[in-house]
Amino acid sequence: AGYYDGIDVVTDMHGSSASLASRSRLTPDDAKLVVAMVGLPCCGKSSICRKLSAFLSWKGQRVRIFNAGRARRQLSDEGKLPPASSSFFDANNVEGKELKEMIAMSTLDNLLEWLSSSGDVAFFDATNSTVKRRSDITRRVEECGRRSNSVPMRVLFLETLCDDPVILESNLLNKVRTSPDFAGMTEEEGIADLKRRLTYYESIYESLRPSEGSFIKLLNMSSYVVTNQVFGRLSRSVLPFVCAIHTSQRPIFLTALVPTHTEKLFASQRSAWQLVSSSFNEGEAADADLAKRLAAWVQKQAFQGKHLCVLASTTPAALEASAAVVEASGCSVTQQSMLNPMDLGTDPGTLRQEIDKFTSRINGGESYEDLVQRLEPCLLEMEGSTDPVLVIAHAMPCRALRAYFLGLPVTKCMESDSSEAAGALADARPCVLELNPVRGRFQEIIHVLDPVP
């Protein structure tokens, strides 16, 4: 019997039409997006907000996070609310419940005002733990979209769940140590108060249901992922990124190859970018010299006992350098053409000032936006790796990747004189730039590669 034997595939045309209409409504990429977080305290909502916000900002989106807890603490600092203990979150505390709803909806109104006027993506960082609250969010967003009479607004719910006791204990401790809610308490008192708060939330918590529209559910920071009605931009960009993130700590290493002739012409418009130095040889000799220095440096590193993953462009210089590194360390390497040099157009020595704009294309070359778009798969691979990653490419791709990890605008990181670290990428000295994660941020360390006899 065939797979479809006994099944009438055209009997429910109404249901099929409704499904297609829903998909058609959710597929367009031009809608403004509200990402409403869902989850208990200490499940990673704010951490995911920050990472996803940095990713979308790197891609050129105008992004902002609106945090209901921060709004509550501000009211408390102004004397309009008492300091919040766990009893404030008790579902039986009628006054506390009304205040929480008022604060949440006020925060959402501020979000919608910003999104209507100047934003592309807004994050609503709150527990949003009941079906009723989420229904109110959807209704308000859709009403605002209709009132704005311009670009429609869409809602994506992003739920974070955590049942890993190690992650939970770490998150509890971090929240008690950093949140103003627990100022004046001992660590033990703060953890006890926070656990009572969690108990109150758990008593009313309702997980997302398919009838609530577009959502992504994450268990233990993407060890298990469930999606519903996720199409268009969400399926191409947001979902792969969410699937890539994890809690493992590992450094990222960037090393820029000897500048090409085209890059030198581009650099000639930047007096601060000094490319001619006794530290670099010229031509093929320079490529071979850098490959030897890099291989020697990698061979000396312990990488905290982890396996090094190397991502290299497909240019001859990158192939030579990555082969030398593999021979020296036995690490794995992947060549990716998206790491190849930025196309600076037919005349890279002129009109360079215009390229400071993120979307500008000069003389048929790539814009920074084009570069970021082709680097996106590489970035997702870097984010998904739990091992240290070494990128071997030319200056522009390396600087664009650096901008993401530091949470900086791409346009502020592409000039060598924008910072010492940017200058270290294909400047006068052969270097490796280390981006080391420390408390949710990346710190930079410049390693100058020593000559090899």
Side-chain angles (χ1 to χ4, degrees):
Y3 180 79
Y4 290 108
D5 286 358
I7 299 176
D8 186 350
V9 296
V10 295
T11 54
D12 186 12
M13 291 300 293
H14 175 73
S16 176
S17 298
S19 177
L20 288 174
S22 175
R23 173 157 187 166
S24 177
R25 180 176 61 84
L26 294 167
T27 297
D29 294 340
D30 59 350
K32 292 175 181 275
L33 181 64
V34 176
V35 181
M37 304 303 295
V38 178
L40 296 170
C42 302
C43 285
K45 297 187 302 298
S46 294
S47 176
I48 291 173
C49 266
R50 289 191 296 270
K51 290 187 74 69
L52 188 51
S53 172
F55 173 65
L56 295 174
S57 296
W58 180 70
K59 286 165 58 67
Q61 300 284 297
R62 296 165 297 178
V63 185
R64 185 174 293 182
I65 298 172
F66 293 80
N67 185 289
R70 188 175 296 117
R72 171 180 54 78
R73 285 187 288 272
Q74 183 176 345
L75 289 173
S76 179
D77 292 342
E78 294 171 355
K80 298 177 182 178
L81 281 179
S85 64
S86 59
S87 60
F88 178 81
F89 302 92
D90 187 344
N92 296 318
N93 182 342
V94 177
E95 182 181 4
K97 182 179 179 180
E98 291 176 350
L99 284 171
K100 289 202 302 285
E101 286 302 309
M102 180 272 291
I103 294 168
M105 291 301 104
S106 175
T107 303
L108 181 60
D109 288 342
N110 291 336
L111 177 156
L112 293 174
E113 181 180 358
W114 174 81
L115 192 61
S116 298
S117 61
S118 58
D120 296 313
V121 182
F123 288 84
F124 184 30
D125 188 4
T127 55
N128 300 322
S129 54
T130 65
V131 173
K132 182 184 182 305
R133 164 76 72 80
R134 297 192 292 268
S135 176
D136 290 342
I137 292 170
T138 301
R139 175 179 54 79
R140 285 185 179 231
V141 171
E142 291 178 348
E143 287 176 354
C144 182
R146 287 193 293 269
R147 285 197 307 270
S148 64
N149 206 20
S150 56
V151 179
M153 294 184 181
R154 305 279 183 252
V155 180
L156 170 71
F157 290 108
L158 181 48
E159 182 176 11
T160 62
L161 304 166
C162 184
D163 61 4
D164 185 319
V166 175
I167 296 176
L168 277 173
E169 285 299 321
S170 175
N171 290 347
L172 282 167
L173 192 58
N174 182 63
K175 190 172 184 70
V176 167
R177 288 174 174 174
T178 59
S179 174
D181 285 351
F182 306 99
M185 299 185 190
T186 66
E187 206 164 87
E188 292 75 16
E189 290 171 340
I191 289 176
D193 188 79
L194 182 53
K195 285 184 175 179
R196 286 193 295 271
R197 183 189 302 190
L198 276 168
T199 301
Y200 293 141
Y201 272 113
E202 286 171 345
S203 68
I204 61 169
Y205 190 81
E206 297 171 307
S207 188
L208 283 162
R209 305 169 184 178
S211 60
E212 294 186 72
S214 299
F215 67 70
I216 300 172
K217 283 188 184 185
L218 299 177
L219 176 63
N220 298 327
M221 290 292 280
S222 80
S223 65
Y224 179 73
V225 181
V226 177
T227 69
N228 184 64
Q229 296 185 18
V230 174
F231 307 114
R233 166 178 55 182
L234 300 181
S235 63
R236 290 194 309 272
S237 196
V238 174
L239 179 58
F241 180 83
V242 167
C243 290
I245 58 178
H246 53 79
T247 58
S248 179
Q249 300 291 297
R250 78 280 183 251
I252 302 295
F253 302 98
L254 305 173
T255 188
L257 298 162
V258 179
T260 64
H261 175 68
T262 301
E263 287 177 318
K264 289 182 180 181
L265 289 176
F266 175 73
S268 68
Q269 301 300 307
R270 305 292 196 247
S271 60
W273 195 359
Q274 301 297 326
L275 292 171
V276 181
S277 169
S278 58
S279 299
F280 269 132
N281 295 312
E282 291 295 326
E284 294 181 2
D287 296 335
D289 179 55
L290 178 60
K292 289 178 182 179
R293 294 183 187 220
L294 183 60
W297 181 83
V298 168
Q299 196 171 32
K300 295 176 183 177
Q301 308 307 308
F303 299 117
Q304 301 174 341
K306 294 186 176 182
H307 181 74
L308 178 66
C309 173
V310 178
L311 304 178
S313 75
T314 59
T315 61
L319 296 176
E320 182 177 6
S322 59
V325 169
V326 170
E327 184 178 353
S329 65
C331 62
S332 62
V333 60
T334 303
Q335 265 80 41
Q336 299 188 349
S337 60
M338 68 274 291
L339 285 168
N340 285 354
M342 181 176 177
D343 183 351
L344 297 170
T346 57
D347 188 5
T350 61
L351 299 176
R352 289 298 97 198
Q353 69 276 9
E354 295 184 27
I355 207 167
D356 290 336
K357 299 174 183 176
F358 187 70
T359 59
S360 294
R361 296 187 181 100
I362 307 300
N363 296 324
E366 288 182 294
S367 67
Y368 291 156
E369 183 179 36
D370 296 329
L371 177 62
V372 163
Q373 286 178 351
R374 70 169 161 94
L375 284 173
E376 185 174 332
C378 177
L379 178 65
L380 292 175
E381 186 167 345
M382 295 169 71
E383 273 288 7
S385 176
T386 56
D387 291 322
V389 178
L390 169 63
V391 174
I392 304 174
H394 282 272
M396 295 300 199
C398 285
R399 288 175 182 165
L401 290 170
R402 171 180 174 267
Y404 163 74
F405 285 104
L406 296 182
L408 298 172
V410 172
T411 53
K412 301 295 184 183
C413 295
M414 301 305 278
E415 306 295 344
S416 65
D417 57 357
S418 62
S419 72
E420 183 183 2
L425 295 170
D427 199 1
R429 300 170 298 170
C431 297
V432 170
L433 178 63
E434 177 180 352
L435 299 169
N436 198 36
V438 178
R439 296 180 181 177
R441 298 180 181 274
F442 282 88
Q443 293 183 350
E444 297 180 301
I445 304 172
I446 299 173
H447 302 278
V448 178
L449 302 180
D450 296 326
V452 177

